[in-house]
Amino acid sequence: MPDSLRLILYERDGCHLCEEVGVLLDEMIGMDRYARMDIDDDDDLIVRYGFRIPVINLDGVDRLEAPIERDEVRALAAELAT
């Protein structure tokens, strides 16, 4: 995964919290700087994340999970900038 895609948003189609976090990530780091993974496309991800979504993973570590606040995303974006 390129450095620009060190961040993954694990989500589910139709999840309003996931959509809100996606908008925050788009605003704060840019649409092309993270990957979006629908957990329903992978049985292992369903087992791993279940109802915890949205989950933001940075460098293989789950860093934030629902509910995710704007300030948390801002802090993570600042970390990515360093």
Side-chain angles (χ1 to χ4, degrees), residues 53-72:
I53 55 155
V55 173
I56 297 176
N57 180 292
L58 176 60
D59 293 332
V61 178
D62 294 340
R63 298 287 300 274
L64 301 173
E65 67 181 68
I68 298 173
E69 302 293 327
R70 177 178 287 276
D71 290 341
E72 294 173 310

Side-chain angles (χ1 to χ4, degrees), residues 11-46:
E11 61 184 349
R12 174 176 273 137
D13 188 39
C15 166
H16 74 281
L17 294 175
C18 300
E19 292 171 18
E20 291 172 8
V21 170
V23 169
L24 289 176
L25 289 171
D26 290 350
E27 291 172 358
M28 293 184 191
I29 69 163
M31 295 170 61
D32 59 342
R33 298 216 35 231
Y34 70 99
R36 297 179 85 146
M37 300 285 296
D38 187 331
I39 67 166
D40 288 330
D41 293 338
D42 184 315
D43 290 341
D44 291 335
L45 292 178
I46 293 171

Side-chain angles (χ1 to χ4, degrees), residues 3 6 29 33 58-59 63 74-82:
D3 287 342
R6 296 173 27 204
I29 69 163
R33 298 216 35 231
L58 176 60
D59 293 332
R63 298 287 300 274
R74 185 176 294 119
L76 199 60
E79 188 175 328
L80 277 170
T82 59

